[in-house]
Amino acid sequence: MLVTGNEILQDAHRKGYGVGAFNVNNMEIVQAIIEAAEETNSPVILQASQGGLKYAGIEYVAELGKLAARNARVPVAVHLDHGTDFAQVMLCIRHGFSSVMIDGSQLELEDNIAITKKVVEVAHAVGVSVEAELGKIGGTEDDITVDEKDATFTDPEEAKYFVEQTRVDSLAIAVGTAHGVYQGEPNLDFDRIKTIREMLDIPLVLHGSSGVADEDIEKAISAGISKINIDTDLRIAFTGAIKQFLKEDPENIDPRKILSPARKGMKKVIMEKMKIFGSAGRA
Ligand code: G3H
Ligand code: ZN
């Protein structure tokens, strides 16, 4: 069933488990996520990044996501990931997304507050949940790149002020993760997560969660993270399965034969994550 981001994340926040938000770009990825969620009886968030919207088109993403959500036996939210401008967020709401992110983290604090507030006002009026971001998460996701030297951790006091001003539903915080494939070992600031969790009573979001050790993800959830964003790990599972298939059967030209193992490979990874996050059995 299609639900808002809030319906999923408030339960996770209150009960202290994590919910995966997986990036979608095509039908096979959507199907892999939904099959994994149904088999583990897990709530789940389908999300589309800037690159995902550009690749598939907003209509395809919205209709695929809503169809999958409506037919699913588990709660599913359809979410805009890293929305960068007001008009695009409005377009996603118009197309039926049940949750949106406005990422003003590159702006000055007051400008980030202003754009987030504007989105919250409209989104809440039509029952759509809003995620914002404060602090700068390093790495690259599609068109958005933040240099390691420019990455800055979220300040707890500032986060409190930001949430009071904006009334946003969930907050992405910068605590040591980075988008994309890690060069070195990620070093998470669990104390900072705990402090922010104690100061704010809203679900916190961990971006750049691919490649982070399972124990660290579990620790981050215990410290107060409710939403865990995964993209790169799905890309790796998808392309890994295709490479393997074509290595064994290089002459095969049937897209269905090539994409089936990719869907299966992603589903396996997603199911494992749902168990680690603690969302399995919570639907
Ligand atoms: O917004 C999406 C995520 O933060 C994905 O990050 O590709 O490192 O898993 P990732
Ligand atoms: Zn992200």
Side-chain angles (χ1 to χ4, degrees):
M1 69 216 74
L2 177 65
V3 300
T4 63
N6 243 348
E7 278 169 76
I8 290 179
L9 292 178
Q10 278 299 330
D11 192 67
H13 175 63
R14 280 197 310 275
K15 298 180 183 159
Y17 63 90
V19 175
F22 301 96
N23 282 81
V24 301
N25 302 291
N26 65 16
M27 182 189 78
E28 284 76 12
I29 305 179
V30 171
Q31 289 173 331
I33 298 166
I34 298 296
E35 281 178 27
E38 289 189 330
E39 262 177 56
T40 57
N41 200 31
S42 172
V44 73
I45 299 167
L46 304 176
Q47 62 183 13
S49 67
Q50 293 301 314
L53 293 179
K54 226 184 266 174
Y55 174 76
I58 193 166
E59 281 97 347
Y60 269 92
V61 172
E63 295 309 319
L64 260 179
K66 287 187 293 180
L67 176 71
R70 277 199 304 267
N71 290 345
R73 292 192 300 273
V74 293
V76 180
V78 178
H79 175 73
L80 167 66
D81 186 30
H82 293 286
T84 46
D85 69 272
F86 183 76
Q88 184 191 51
V89 172
M90 293 304 110
L91 206 56
C92 286
I93 292 176
R94 186 178 162 87
H95 278 93
F97 281 57
S98 60
S99 179
V100 291
M101 175 180 188
I102 176 71
D103 179 359
S105 61
Q106 302 304 311
L107 306 171
E108 291 301 323
L109 177 65
E110 290 302 329
D111 294 336
N112 190 357
I113 288 173
I115 180 78
T116 304
K117 235 175 158 173
K118 205 168 145 190
V119 166
V120 166
E121 197 184 334
V122 183
H124 283 182
V126 291
V128 170
S129 315
V130 183
E131 172 184 336
E133 179 170 324
L134 191 64
K136 291 188 178 69
I137 297 163
T140 299
E141 185 176 18
D142 296 330
D143 303 346
I144 306 169
T145 297
V146 175
D147 254 30
E148 206 55 48
K149 61 171 175 26
D150 297 326
T152 38
F153 284 10
T154 307
D155 177 74
E157 286 293 343
E158 208 168 87
K160 190 169 189 284
Y161 172 69
F162 182 89
V163 172
E164 277 165 6
Q165 293 297 309
T166 59
R167 296 287 173 230
V168 75
D169 299 294
S170 62
L171 186 68
I173 53 174
V175 288
T177 54
H179 288 122
V181 177
Y182 283 93
Q183 308 304 338
E185 280 287 298
N187 200 357
L188 272 69
D189 188 344
F190 300 105
D191 288 338
R192 187 176 296 264
I193 301 174
K194 248 182 241 157
T195 308
I196 298 173
R197 168 69 182 84
E198 278 157 20
M199 290 173 71
L200 306 183
D201 193 25
I202 62 167
L204 301 176
V205 183
L206 190 68
H207 282 245
S209 307
S210 296
V212 178
D214 294 346
E215 311 81 71
D216 282 356
I217 292 287
E218 283 166 346
K219 270 170 85 177
I221 293 167
S222 311
I225 292 290
S226 304
K227 174 174 180 267
I228 300 113
N229 283 14
I230 301 281
D231 188 358
T232 302
D233 279 346
L234 297 193
R235 296 182 187 196
I236 294 170
F238 185 93
T239 48
I242 291 177
K243 281 182 196 161
Q244 183 60 30
F245 177 83
L246 287 174
K247 200 171 139 199
E248 286 161 17
D249 191 358
E251 304 306 322
N252 203 307
I253 53 138
D254 185 342
R256 297 163 300 188
K257 295 267 162 43
I258 298 166
L259 290 171
S260 295
R263 183 168 57 194
K264 212 168 139 200
M266 285 186 292
K267 180 180 165 187
K268 187 168 170 274
V269 169
I270 297 163
M271 285 178 70
E272 283 161 11
K273 301 232 180 253
M274 287 171 163
K275 290 174 194 157
I276 292 159
F277 300 167
S279 64
R282 305 278 190 168

